[in-house]
Amino acid sequence: MPHQSHPQLDPRKPLVLETRDLPRRPGALHAVSRQVPAPKDLGLELIGVPVGAELDLQLRMESVSEGVLVSGTVTGPLVGECGRCLRPISATLDVPIQEFYAYEHSTTDETTDEDEVGRLQGDLIDLEPALRDAVVLSLAANPVCREDCPGLCPDCGVPLDELPAGHNHEQVDPRWAALTQIKHSEE
């Protein structure tokens, strides 16, 4: 089954993992612990990891019969804004990651479509797509600063928790607006 050719991976890039020291026998393990700068566009519209922020990768590469299983955690900072009150949010991201990468010319490589499983390129693994999927899929599309955030007043736009109890805006039916003007002119 023909596969697309990939651009050559650069082993010096922080999200490229080297498997040369990992024996190709099932059960062989290699721990990877590294800090890497976050790539761009690692998030959603309202929340994400700032570009260049330090991500802590605690990974385990394990040889399996058809390739390498990479699993572990990604930890780093999250920033954004509350989807209800628009206040800034800062939190810590702690996301599990697990991805299988097939050896070149393995049965898995030859029997699966290009986008079904990751692929090793020689001894190199490009972790960025799996990291991006794990991080982005873990984020809330509508993040909140706290679970009970009441949001904004729909009339004045001030956060409801900063307004006095009973805050409201008198809504006048446009059909009665002329009477309201007469009332105010008599006062």
Side-chain angles (χ1 to χ4, degrees):
M1 180 176 303
H3 293 295
Q4 294 176 324
S5 63
H6 294 281
Q8 198 62 25
L9 288 179
D10 181 350
R12 295 169 296 188
K13 286 193 170 184
L15 289 172
V16 173
L17 303 177
E18 174 70 60
T19 65
R20 187 180 3 239
D21 296 334
L22 181 66
R24 285 193 176 204
R25 67 175 185 276
L29 296 173
H30 181 70
V32 176
S33 177
R34 67 170 67 161
Q35 286 70 42
V36 300
K40 67 180 182 169
D41 300 325
L42 193 56
L44 301 172
E45 186 176 343
L46 293 178
I47 194 160
V49 178
V51 175
E54 185 175 283
L55 294 176
D56 181 44
L57 305 179
Q58 297 300 319
L59 306 172
R60 185 175 90 170
M61 294 191 301
E62 180 179 356
S63 284
V64 293
S65 61
E66 294 287 317
V68 175
L69 179 66
V70 177
S71 58
T73 59
V74 178
T75 308
L78 276 178
V79 295
E81 67 181 5
C82 178
R84 293 182 191 160
C85 71
L86 306 179
R87 286 187 179 117
I89 295 175
S90 63
T92 300
L93 169 80
D94 190 11
V95 177
I97 186 171
Q98 183 169 19
E99 187 76 14
F100 171 71
Y101 296 88
Y103 292 130
E104 291 177 312
H105 312 298
S106 67
T107 303
T108 301
D109 181 49
E110 294 172 7
T111 60
T112 58
D113 289 334
E114 185 73 21
D115 57 353
E116 284 184 82
V117 297
R119 310 275 191 231
L120 272 99
Q121 291 184 36
D123 291 325
L124 302 176
I125 291 174
D126 183 5
L127 189 64
E128 186 172 340
L131 176 130
R132 185 173 303 285
D133 288 350
V135 169
V136 171
L137 291 173
S138 75
L139 299 175
N142 193 22
V144 291
C145 59
R146 62 179 205 268
E147 287 303 314
D148 64 344
C149 176
L152 300 173
C153 172
D155 296 312
C156 64
V158 174
L160 289 170
D161 59 0
E162 293 178 7
L163 295 170
H167 170 80
N168 67 22
H169 297 270
E170 187 176 323
Q171 298 293 325
V172 177
D173 187 321
R175 295 170 291 183
W176 299 102
L179 292 177
T180 302
Q181 291 174 348
I182 293 170
K183 176 184 170 198
H184 290 302
S185 66
E186 293 177 358
E187 293 176 356

